């Protein structure tokens, strides 16, 4: 059965590949989305990707996922550390949600160590760059196949 998975990328991730490659890798957001689509094709998963620099747009997209997708991969970027609105929106979902960060937020500045999502998602994958998104897709499939 084909599964539909939504990927939400938060603020500034549209600029990936243009600077700070030592922290975030050299891949662009288009590279990450293409890798996810390919990875999904080998697993009968349809991947839809969305990026926004606006918190409210991200909240709306999360709400719209209800009934449309079976899993959510989300990198809320800086909103990870600030947004109760995104946390509350994720709490509306019954589908598996995996939080991804390109960098290992736990070995960076102290303010990046706290995530408003970490205790309301199925799991967090950090520090593996682009590969982390592919791992998140497999983690969601694993959860869906168990249920
Ligand atoms: O490691 C991650 O994936 C982050 O979510 C990335 C966020 C950061 O605020 C989080 O603490 C960790 C920052 C995204 C900034 O994206 C850039 C894009 C191009 C060049 C530089 C940064």
């Amino acid at each position: 059965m084909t599964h539909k998975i939504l990927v939400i990328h938060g603020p500034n991730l549209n600029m990936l590949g243009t600077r700070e490659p030592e922290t975030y890798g050299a891949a662009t957001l288009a590279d990450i989305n293409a890798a996810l689509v390919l990875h999904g094709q080998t697993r009968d998963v349809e991947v839809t990707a969305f990026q926004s620099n606006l918190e409210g747009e991200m909240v709306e997209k999360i709400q719209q996922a209800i009934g449309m997708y079976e899993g959510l991969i989300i990198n809320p970027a800086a909103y990870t550390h600030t947004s109760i609105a995104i946390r509350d929106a994720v709490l509306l979902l019954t589908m598996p949600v995996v939080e991804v960060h390109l960098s290992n937020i736990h070995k960076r500045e102290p303010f990046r160590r706290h995530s408003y999502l970490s205790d309301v998602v199925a799991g967090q994958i950090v520090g593996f760059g682009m590969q982390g998104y592919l791992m998140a897709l497999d983690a969601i499939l694993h959860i869906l196949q168990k249920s």
Side-chain angles (χ1 to χ4, degrees):
M1 194 188 85
T2 303
H3 292 294
K4 292 178 77 176
I5 291 183
L6 177 65
V7 185
I8 298 182
H9 306 283
N12 297 309
L13 290 168
N14 55 313
M15 301 301 285
L16 276 178
T18 63
R19 60 182 183 88
E20 295 186 58
E22 62 290 351
T23 305
Y24 299 117
T28 65
L29 196 61
D31 294 335
I32 293 175
N33 290 338
L36 274 165
V37 167
L38 267 181
H39 196 71
Q41 279 167 358
T42 64
R43 288 156 172 75
D44 206 13
V45 173
E46 191 183 309
V47 176
T48 302
F50 173 81
Q51 188 276 333
S52 178
N53 293 320
L54 305 179
E55 186 177 16
E57 280 187 4
M58 292 174 65
V59 167
E60 283 182 355
K61 197 69 184 177
I62 295 167
Q63 292 178 4
Q64 288 161 9
I66 297 169
M68 282 193 65
Y69 298 96
E70 296 158 82
L72 172 66
I73 299 170
I74 184 164
N75 181 349
Y79 289 139
T80 306
H81 319 296
T82 64
S83 179
I84 298 169
I86 291 175
R87 174 193 174 90
D88 286 347
V90 165
L91 279 168
L92 298 170
L93 304 180
T94 55
M95 69 187 77
V97 180
V98 175
E99 175 185 354
V100 171
H101 296 285
L102 294 155
S103 63
N104 182 347
I105 56 175
H106 302 289
K107 63 175 188 189
R108 298 185 61 194
E109 304 95 322
F111 67 84
R112 293 191 202 274
R113 290 186 197 143
H114 177 259
S115 162
Y116 274 103
L117 283 194
S118 59
D119 62 322
V120 298
V121 293
Q124 195 187 49
I125 297 173
V126 306
F128 295 104
M130 176 164 101
Q131 188 67 25
Y133 288 89
L134 310 184
M135 292 160 74
L137 190 150
D138 287 341
I140 288 175
L141 270 187
H142 184 72
I143 296 168
L144 291 175
Q145 280 154 12
K146 275 194 307 181
S147 55

